[in-house]
C-alpha cells in the first residue's frame, strides 16, 4: 500500500511503501482559513471521498487550568473569559457561580437579572458571528455584513456597561463590577429591536437560498446516539433531536422565572441546515428573553449589585460543580478548594472540546467538497477546544 501525504507548510512530505493504490493524507491546517483558528484536520482520502478524519488540537493551548491554581478567585475571572472569545461574559459567569456556590453566597436580585440580560445579549453576539460567517464559508459574502452590523449594535451597549468590547470582566464574586449607566436600559431596548428587525434577512437571504440549502440539507448528519456518545451539547445537539437546555432543565440565574418565555429550539434532521436553523431561532428567543429582563429591571428599585467581600477571599475546603448553558453548549466548572485564596483545582469542561470530536464520525464517507460545510456547521471556537 502506498500513502502520499500532502499539506500546507514545511510538514508536507512523501511517504512510499508497498506498490499498490495510493491514499492521500491531506492536512487542513494548522494555519488555514477554513478551520476557525489554529486547528489541524488530518484527512485520509480515497479520491474525492474522506476515509478517516482526525482533528489534531493543542496549537492554542495556554494552560489556563494550571494558571487558575496560581491566581486568586478574583484574578481567575480574567483567565476564564478568554477561551471562547465570542462568549466572554458567559465564560466568567460560570466561574463566579461556582465560587459563590462554594461560599454559599446569594447575590442581590438586581445583579441576578442584569447577569441574565447580559448572558442573553452575549448569546446573540456569539450566534450572529456564526450566522454571518457560515454562509461566507459556503460562498455567500453578504450575510456577514448584516451580522457585523447587528453585532455592533449589541457591542456598543455591552461596552458601555462593562468597559470592554470582547473580554468584559464585568462579573465579580458576589455580583457585578458596578451598576449600569444612566439611561442604559433604554439604549439596550433600541439595540435589541434593531437586531430583531434584522433577523428576517437570514431567513430570506440564507435559508431561502437554494444553493445554501443544497450545500447543507442532508449533509453532515449527526445522530442522537452520536450526540450522547461524544458529549455534544448546545445548538448542535438540539439540532439532532436532543431536547436539553440547562436554562430550562436546571435553571440558574433568573431563568426559572422566565420559563414561560424560554423556548428550546429542537430539530430532528441533525444536518448542517438544522444546526443553522437552531442557531437562528435561538437568537430570536434570546432577544425575547432580553426584553423580559429589561421589563423586570424597570420594576426593580435601585439597589446594590454586589456584596461586600473581605480583602482576601478564601473559599472553604471542599468541592463543587457548576455548569451553564453557554452559547456553544454546556460549560462545566469543577472547583476543588483546600481553604486557600486560590483554587487547588478548577477543571473546565468546554463545549467546543466535546463538539469537535464528532468530526471523526461526521467526515468519513463524505466528499471533500462537503468538508467545509460540515466543519463550519459545528460552530466551534478553537480557543474553547484547547483552553
Amino acid at each position: 500500500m502506498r500513502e502520499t501525504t500532502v499539506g500546507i507548510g514545511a510538514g508536507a512530505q512523501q511517504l512510499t511503501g508497498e506498490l499498490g493504490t495510493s491514499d492521500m493524507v491531506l492536512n487542513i491546517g494548522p494555519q488555514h482559513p477554513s478551520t476557525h483558528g489554529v486547528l489541524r484536520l488530518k484527512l485520509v482520502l480515497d479520491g474525492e471521498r474522506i476515509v478517516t478524519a482526525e482533528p489534531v488540537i493543542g496549537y492554542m493551548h495556554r494552560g489556563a487550568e494550571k494558571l487558575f491554581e496560581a491566581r486568586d478567585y478574583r484574578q481567575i475571572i480574567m483567565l476564564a473569559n478568554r477561551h471562547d472569545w465570542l462568549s466572554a461574559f458567559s465564560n466568567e459567569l460560570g466561574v463566579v457561580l461556582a465560587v459563590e456556590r462554594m461560599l454559599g453566597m446569594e447575590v442581590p436580585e438586581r445583579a441576578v437579572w442584569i447577569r441574565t440580560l447580559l448572558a442573553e445579549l452575549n448569546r446573540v453576539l456569539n450566534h450572529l458571528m456564526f450566522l454571518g460567517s457560515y454562509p461566507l464559508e459556503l460562498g455567500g459574502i453578504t450575510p456577514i455584513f448584516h451580522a457585523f452590523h447587528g453585532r455592533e449594535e449589541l457591542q456598543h451597549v455591552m461596552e458601555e456597561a462593562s468597559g470592554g468590547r470582547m473580554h468584559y470582566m464585568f462579573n465579580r464574586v458576589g455580583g457585578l463590577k458596578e451598576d449600569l449607566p444612566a439611561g442604559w436600559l433604554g439604549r439596550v431596548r433600541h439595540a435589541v429591536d434593531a437586531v430583531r428587525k434584522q433577523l428576517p434577512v437570514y431567513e430570506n437571504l440564507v435559508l431561502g437560498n437554494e444553493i445554501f440549502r443544497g450545500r447543507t440539507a442532508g449533509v453532515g448528519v449527526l445522530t442522537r446516539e452520536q450526540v450522547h456518545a461524544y458529549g455534544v451539547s448546545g445548538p448542535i445537539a438540539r439540532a439532532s433531536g436532543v431536547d436539553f437546555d440547562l436554562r430550562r432543565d436546571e435553571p440558574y440565574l433568573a431563568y426559572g422565572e422566565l420559563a414561560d418565555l424560554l423556548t428550546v429550539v429542537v430539530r430532528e434532521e441533525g444536518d448542517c441546515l438544522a444546526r443553522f436553523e437552531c442557531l437562528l431561532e435561538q437568537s430570536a428567543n434570546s432577544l425575547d428573553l432580553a426584553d423580559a429582563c429589561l421589563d423586570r429591571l424597570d420594576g426593580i428599585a435601585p439597589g446594590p449589585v454586589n456584596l461586600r467581600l473581605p480583602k482576601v477571599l478564601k473559599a472553604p475546603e471542599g468541592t463543587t460543580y457548576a455548569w451553564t448553558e453557554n452559547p456553544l453548549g454546556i460549560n462545566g466548572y469543577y472547583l476543588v478548594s483546600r481553604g486557600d485564596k486560590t483554587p487547588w483545582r478548577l477543571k473546565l469542561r468546554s463545549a467546543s472540546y466535546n463538539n469537535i470530536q464528532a468530526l471523526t464520525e461526521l467526515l468519513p464517507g463524505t466528499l471533500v467538497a462537503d468538508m467545509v460545510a460540515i466543519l463550519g456547521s459545528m460552530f466551534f471556537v478553537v480557543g474553547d477546544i484547547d483552553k
Side-chain angles (χ1 to χ4, degrees), residues 191-208:
V192 167
D193 188 54
V195 175
R196 182 183 285 108
K197 289 177 179 176
Q198 190 189 56
L199 290 183
V201 170
Y202 306 101
E203 185 79 35
N204 302 325
L205 190 64
V206 182
L207 290 178

Side-chain angles (χ1 to χ4, degrees), residues 299-351:
I300 296 177
V305 294
N306 48 41
L307 299 177
R308 191 174 185 84
L309 301 178
K311 185 175 181 180
V312 178
L313 180 65
K314 294 182 179 181
E317 187 171 350
T319 65
T320 192
Y321 184 78
W323 55 348
T324 59
E325 187 69 43
N326 267 39
L328 298 181
I330 293 174
N331 270 27
Y333 304 83
Y334 179 59
L335 174 62
V336 183
S337 170
R338 290 190 171 176
D340 299 322
K341 66 178 182 179
T342 62
W344 186 79
R345 183 80 167 92
L346 179 55
K347 168 64 179 172
L348 170 61
R349 187 264 191 215
S350 59

Side-chain angles (χ1 to χ4, degrees), residues 84 90 155 165 186 204 208 237 244-245 306 343 357 381:
D84 174 2
S90 300
Q155 288 281 29
R165 277 186 64 80
N204 302 325
F244 183 74
D245 190 312
N306 48 41
Q357 296 180 91
V381 170

Side-chain angles (χ1 to χ4, degrees), residues 2-7 10-17 22-25:
R2 185 169 68 244
E3 245 186 22
T4 304
T5 303
V6 298
Q13 56 181 321
Q14 291 270 334
L15 298 176
T16 58
S22 175
D23 282 340
M24 178 181 289
V25 181

